[in-house]
Amino acid sequence: MAILQTYIGSWINYSRGPIFGATITFSTHTTDILQGCLALFINYVGSQFWSIISFVMHQASRPRTDADGFYQARQVILRNSAAPGATAWELFFLGSNRVKEKNYDKRTFGAVGLAFLAVLIYGGSLVAGIMIPPRIKAASGESLILGGNCGFSNLTRIQMSPSLSNLKQKQDTITAATYARNCYGVDPKPPQCKRFTRPEIAWTSKSNVPCPFHLTLCKVNASTGYSMDTGYIDSLDLGINAAPQDRLLFRKATTCAPLMAKKLAKLVNETDEFGQKHTHIQLYFGPINGILNYTYEYDLATGGAGSGYNLRSYLAYAQLETPTWSPIPELNRTDADVSLVILAQNSVAYIEPVDDPFFAAHVDFNGIYQSRNATYYFADTYFHILACAEQYQYCNPNSHDTDGQAHCTELSSSVAIQRQASTINLSPFALVTARLFDMLLPQANIFGSIGGSGAAALRASDIIFHQVSGPLPNNQWIIEVSAWFETALARIQHGVVEFATGPPDAFASDPVLMNGRTEIWGRFCSSIKVGDADNQQSFSALGVGLTLAIGGTVILVSWCLEWFVKRLRKVLKKGMDRGEQWKNDDMIELLQDGRGTGSKVAEEETDEGGEEPGVDPSQECLRVNTEPENQEANAAGTMERAPESV
């Protein structure tokens, strides 16, 4: 997969609708700055909210004078409240002093209650500043891929080089199989499962369904089939960010069954060019490339050569004019692609008998094997076979027939639905989506899930050591085909993202680029999502907008409330005394009044006693007040006047 580059800016995530899906994506650096600014903004909103409460509480009290000055002190604190934290401390200190003196009443508890309210608002703004910025990140964490290099590898060039073609197929198989093993049916999901918009595509299964092929081939009985079905998958769940009218429903259904090969096997003796004699078993499930009249050949000498599992797969596309493999009539399906899987167990020994029809092993051996003396069990036959019928379907969720059923293609082969896609009234965007799937489906099958990996594609290989296998359950073949089915689904997920990012570097020579080819393809290339990108963060535009709108409203009300109430009182001609009290309780006003009172007293004393020649009255006042014999009297006088000053 090429380097993932994501879109930075605003966009609509249609997974959550046009309103809740409004998203803004930022780089990681910008995200850190944004979160810090939002935290500061929320804290400032908290302080302004407290300013509103302080104003309301101050103005809600009728102006009066207490003998002890408690009311005046509370009003001054509320009037000059700068932040809820500092105000809480001042109110608590005011109330707690009276509690210590056991001189308390409901006014005292009211002050303490206001202090706790200020603490609550202060703490709430701190917590909100920490919690809200991360919470308004987009719930899905999804991002748009830029899609500037979207397209495919040049299939013509790759097909001209078989080794390069096989390498690409194997690389895709390993990538999808690794993802399916780590992310499908696993809970909790590891971090790598966030790569796609849906960690896994859900599917259902049924056992003991009818065998999808002719009964003469089906092993055991006619109801040995096992079906796997995704149901209808919205293209949105595959990472294609489309509005409802541009969506496509996709379905994949696969039914597998073990097969019998005895009547289709032939023993062949040959002598090579060096005169060596070889005995082969040839299987006749259909010719290959019109060159070989048999499907598979097994050398009997291989089984005793100490080799492990050997797994081969074949694929026939129904309705394809020039198939690579042409199944025999009993195996052929005109409405499904057919995958054939052949397993040779060779020299694999089992420590217990195996009853699974694809791994059956009951031939016992008592003796030394792999340097260990024990009882082992070997395969019943040289090879076991299973086959799968694979079907696909497209549906248009926006077009219905008279019965209310969505218009759909037939549940059929990949080639058939490709031809029928244009008949179900898809929008141009949805039709382009179908064309992308047309490119992915040829390898999104059981054949592609094995993809040259051989025995590595078997889960049974996990418990083999030195050609000795641990016990296998009776449904091991179901475990294997389920894993291959999940690998095929992961291959579709991977293919969608790889299309958007462009082909991998090793296969990017002369790629088939689709961005800019037409307006629809250009829009499609910029509409593919990825689950989680390391270099960016997405935020909910609604969450950011609501945070700024609510916070901005609080700030605006805080700034304008005093002005508005003042104008309203002038109109109503009521509450003027409370407005005057708000003005007089301002700290600057109180300081100015204090300086004015001191100057006036000094002037009166000078008028009564006269001025001493050459003496500055203010200096004389300072001298008198600092004389030792007057300090005690001054301090006492100050304490007596303190309540009145407050």
Side-chain angles (χ1 to χ4, degrees), residues 90-108:
E90 293 173 356
L91 288 170
F92 184 77
F93 185 75
L94 178 66
S96 62
N97 281 341
R98 294 176 62 86
V99 172
K100 291 178 181 178
E101 297 171 359
K102 297 183 179 181
N103 181 23
Y104 50 85
D105 51 22
K106 64 180 182 179
R107 299 175 305 165
T108 305

Side-chain angles (χ1 to χ4, degrees), residues 339-495:
S339 290
L340 180 69
V341 183
I342 301 175
L343 170 67
Q345 291 153 282
N346 297 321
S347 299
V348 174
Y350 301 89
I351 61 176
E352 293 181 4
V354 180
D355 296 328
D356 180 85
F358 192 56
F359 291 86
H362 299 90
V363 179
D364 61 322
F365 169 78
N366 295 304
I368 298 175
Y369 185 73
Q370 298 293 345
S371 304
R372 182 181 178 185
N373 189 3
T375 299
Y376 299 95
Y377 300 87
F378 291 88
D380 293 352
T381 63
Y382 290 111
F383 37 73
H384 291 95
I385 301 167
L386 64 80
C388 300
E390 310 202 54
Q391 297 177 300
Y392 311 89
Q393 189 175 30
Y394 293 146
C395 287
N396 183 354
N398 301 297
S399 179
H400 303 81
D401 57 23
T402 55
D403 296 331
Q405 299 295 322
H407 283 142
C408 298
T409 65
E410 297 175 353
L411 182 62
S412 189
S413 67
S414 58
V415 174
I417 67 167
Q418 179 179 348
R419 295 169 179 170
Q420 298 173 19
S422 60
T423 67
I424 58 174
N425 302 322
L426 293 173
S427 71
F429 190 96
L431 190 59
V432 166
T433 303
R435 294 296 168 245
L436 172 61
F437 290 159
D438 292 341
M439 299 294 294
L440 301 178
L441 295 184
Q443 295 298 323
N445 43 46
I446 300 300
F447 169 80
S449 296
I450 296 172
S453 298
L458 290 169
R459 296 292 174 92
S461 295
D462 295 347
I463 57 172
I464 285 185
F465 183 74
H466 284 239
Q467 311 309 330
V468 176
S469 172
L472 296 179
N474 296 342
N475 66 336
Q476 183 65 34
W477 78 276
I478 291 178
I479 295 174
E480 301 294 349
V481 297
S482 297
W484 296 334
F485 187 77
E486 291 177 342
T487 298
L489 297 179
R491 196 159 185 161
I492 295 174
Q493 293 176 284
H494 173 78

Side-chain angles (χ1 to χ4, degrees), residues 160-183:
M160 292 175 62
S161 173
S163 59
L164 194 61
S165 176
N166 293 336
L167 178 61
K168 179 69 170 70
Q169 179 178 331
K170 186 173 182 179
Q171 184 183 85
D172 290 346
T173 299
I174 293 173
T175 300
T178 302
Y179 181 87
R181 181 183 285 261
N182 292 332
C183 301

Side-chain angles (χ1 to χ4, degrees), residues 67-325:
D68 55 4
F70 183 87
Y71 169 79
Q72 290 84 353
R74 192 203 73 154
Q75 292 294 83
V76 169
I77 292 173
L78 291 175
R79 171 61 181 89
N80 298 280
S81 174
T87 306
W89 171 251
E90 293 173 356
L91 288 170
F92 184 77
F93 185 75
L94 178 66
S96 62
N97 281 341
R98 294 176 62 86
V99 172
K100 291 178 181 178
E101 297 171 359
K102 297 183 179 181
N103 181 23
Y104 50 85
D105 51 22
K106 64 180 182 179
R107 299 175 305 165
T108 305
F109 292 111
V112 175
L114 276 176
F116 279 112
L117 178 60
V119 169
L120 183 63
I121 293 174
Y122 178 68
S125 64
L126 288 178
V127 172
I130 297 172
M131 300 296 294
I132 289 180
R135 295 290 180 181
I136 61 177
K137 289 182 180 179
S140 62
E142 298 169 348
S143 301
L144 279 180
I145 300 174
L146 275 179
N149 296 319
C150 74
F152 305 96
S153 300
N154 192 326
L155 299 180
T156 302
R157 185 181 63 84
I158 290 180
Q159 290 170 356
M160 292 175 62
S161 173
S163 59
L164 194 61
S165 176
N166 293 336
L167 178 61
K168 179 69 170 70
Q169 179 178 331
K170 186 173 182 179
Q171 184 183 85
D172 290 346
T173 299
I174 293 173
T175 300
T178 302
Y179 181 87
R181 181 183 285 261
N182 292 332
C183 301
Y184 273 71
V186 177
D187 193 27
K189 307 289 185 188
Q192 61 264 34
C193 299
K194 297 179 180 180
R195 179 69 169 178
F196 306 123
T197 55
R198 294 290 181 274
E200 61 181 301
I201 299 174
W203 58 279
T204 58
S205 64
K206 289 183 180 180
S207 299
N208 300 319
V209 300
C211 176
F213 306 105
H214 197 277
L215 296 181
T216 58
L217 292 179
C218 298
K219 201 169 188 177
V220 183
N221 56 58
S223 298
T224 56
Y226 176 73
S227 68
M228 299 160 284
D229 196 333
T230 62
Y232 295 108
I233 309 168
D234 194 322
S235 57
L236 190 67
D237 294 330
L238 292 173
I240 300 171
N241 190 46
Q245 66 272 15
D246 290 327
R247 292 180 193 167
L248 172 73
L249 299 182
F250 166 74
R251 179 186 177 192
K252 175 176 170 60
T254 300
T255 303
C256 301
L259 302 183
M260 296 184 295
K262 186 174 182 180
K263 295 181 180 180
L264 298 172
K266 181 180 178 180
L267 190 65
V268 179
N269 293 311
E270 295 179 338
T271 302
D272 62 22
E273 57 189 23
F274 301 103
Q276 298 291 327
K277 293 183 179 181
H278 298 274
T279 301
H280 302 276
I281 297 178
Q282 294 177 347
L283 294 179
Y284 290 84
F285 283 93
I288 303 294
N289 284 330
I291 301 174
L292 300 176
N293 62 346
Y294 58 86
T295 309
Y296 175 80
E297 186 176 65
Y298 180 79
D299 190 341
L300 292 181
T302 305
S307 57
Y309 288 130
N310 182 275
L311 191 69
R312 297 285 298 275
S313 60
Y314 303 86
L315 176 66
Y317 298 109
Q319 304 181 29
L320 189 65
E321 296 179 359
T322 56
T324 302
W325 165 57

